[in-house]
Amino acid sequence: MMMPMAPIVQEPRPSEVTNLGGGVVPTGVSDVHLGLTPEGGEPILTGLGPLKSHNKLLIKQKLQTCEMLTGCEQENRFTVTGAEGEILYWAKENSGCCDRFACGNIRSFDMSITDQTTNEVMRLFRPLTCQGCCCSALYPHCTQAMTVSVAGETVGTVRERATWWNPVYHVFDSVGNQLLKIRGPSCHFSLCDDVNFQVVDTDRVEVALIAKKWMGCFKETLTDADNFVIDFNEGLLLETKVLILSATFLIDMMYFEMNN
């Protein structure tokens, strides 16, 4: 009899083999974008399978002692969990020390998102681009953007839309068709309350909600570690979920990352 899967509570090192507690890890995936078994059965435990089967994600940024003690910005690390707290993915920023020191939250970086077996399932790339009203007026040539890739293939782009008040992002597929619009509040800081970003499709129907959670006065004041919750509507395409999850990291970097 197959034993129930034990939850993984610690990020494994790349050289370690993760014990899935009896979970089946297939040797091949017929469609990495769908994350299905070769027979088209239930979502698997690796790849994009967990994202397909969860309609609520919690993104938690790890507090880093060195950053808290010295004030020197470190590469960001996150855990992505399900509604019950089970770890689905780890996300790690890759950027240069000089970029973090000199460029702050407009720095260039790429982010690797790995599953429970430490295999990379998504990669995000954000180029260095100046930020401000004057730059935004040159849309789309001088606004913030992030490219999203799965298995080395681009699945879409998240791009800041120039506005004078509310933050707005347009989300495009791999061939440049707009899929989504993300709109945030005019004030990015809300005392003792969450900051919500609405995600709507091209028909202006809300399909998801990204909420930056209030973490308390101590953490909000002394650290830039942020927690987000994403609520997806039922029946969303997996590609759409991938792009919304990716957009959350760009939102965090632009509006909630301190410039030390």
Side-chain angles (χ1 to χ4, degrees):
M1 182 178 65
M2 184 178 292
M3 299 296 292
M5 185 184 72
I8 298 176
V9 296
Q10 184 176 5
E11 181 177 4
R13 299 190 181 98
S15 59
E16 294 177 341
V17 177
T18 304
N19 182 5
L20 295 179
V24 179
V25 181
T27 56
V29 179
S30 60
D31 191 334
V32 69
H33 292 280
L34 294 178
L36 299 177
T37 61
E39 295 76 19
E42 294 296 322
I44 58 177
L45 299 176
T46 59
L48 294 178
L51 183 59
K52 178 179 174 61
S53 59
H54 285 77
N55 288 323
K56 185 169 186 174
L57 300 179
L58 285 73
I59 303 175
K60 299 180 180 180
Q61 185 173 355
K62 294 185 176 181
L63 289 173
Q64 302 192 62
T65 305
C66 179
E67 183 173 323
M68 294 179 63
L69 294 178
T70 65
C72 295
E73 184 68 28
Q74 304 294 306
E75 293 174 320
N76 291 325
R77 294 171 179 264
F78 301 86
T79 57
V80 181
T81 70
E84 302 300 323
E86 67 279 23
I87 294 180
L88 307 178
Y89 301 106
W90 289 276
K92 181 183 182 300
E93 172 193 347
N94 300 294
S95 61
C97 179
C98 292
D99 288 337
R100 295 194 300 275
F101 178 78
C103 302
N105 68 343
I106 66 169
R107 63 183 178 267
S108 170
F109 70 89
D110 64 71
M111 180 171 288
S112 176
I113 300 178
T114 56
D115 63 15
Q116 295 181 359
T117 60
T118 70
N119 290 323
E120 181 177 284
V121 295
M122 282 180 269
R123 180 167 287 271
L124 318 179
F125 174 69
R126 187 261 190 114
L128 172 65
T129 308
C130 57
Q131 185 171 313
C133 293
C134 295
C135 298
S136 297
L138 300 177
Y139 176 87
H141 303 291
C142 199
T143 50
Q144 303 300 309
M146 175 178 283
T147 303
V148 184
S149 301
V150 174
E153 298 183 5
T154 300
V155 297
T157 302
V158 182
R159 183 174 292 279
E160 175 194 17
R161 183 66 172 95
T163 63
W164 296 105
W165 198 248
N166 293 71
V168 173
Y169 298 87
H170 288 173
V171 181
F172 303 92
D173 64 14
S174 58
V175 295
N177 298 317
Q178 184 178 344
L179 301 176
L180 305 167
K181 177 180 178 180
I182 303 175
R183 182 181 177 88
S186 56
C187 180
H188 313 138
F189 178 80
S190 181
L191 185 62
C192 302
D193 201 2
D194 301 337
V195 181
N196 296 324
F197 291 77
Q198 289 184 312
V199 185
V200 298
D201 61 17
T202 53
D203 296 322
R204 298 185 179 181
V205 177
E206 184 172 321
V207 297
L209 182 69
I210 302 172
K212 191 271 182 185
K213 306 301 289 183
W214 171 257
M215 297 174 61
C217 293
F218 177 79
K219 287 186 177 180
E220 294 286 348
T221 304
L222 299 181
T223 75
D224 61 359
D226 302 308
N227 289 351
F228 289 83
V229 173
I230 307 175
D231 287 298
F232 299 109
N233 284 8
E234 291 283 349
L236 279 187
L237 295 175
L238 184 54
E239 176 189 16
T240 304
K241 287 185 173 183
V242 167
L243 292 171
I244 293 173
L245 172 60
S246 303
T248 305
F249 293 108
L250 181 58
I251 290 171
D252 175 55
M253 181 63 73
M254 287 185 62
Y255 295 107
F256 303 107
E257 184 79 1
M258 292 180 184
N259 285 322
N260 293 328

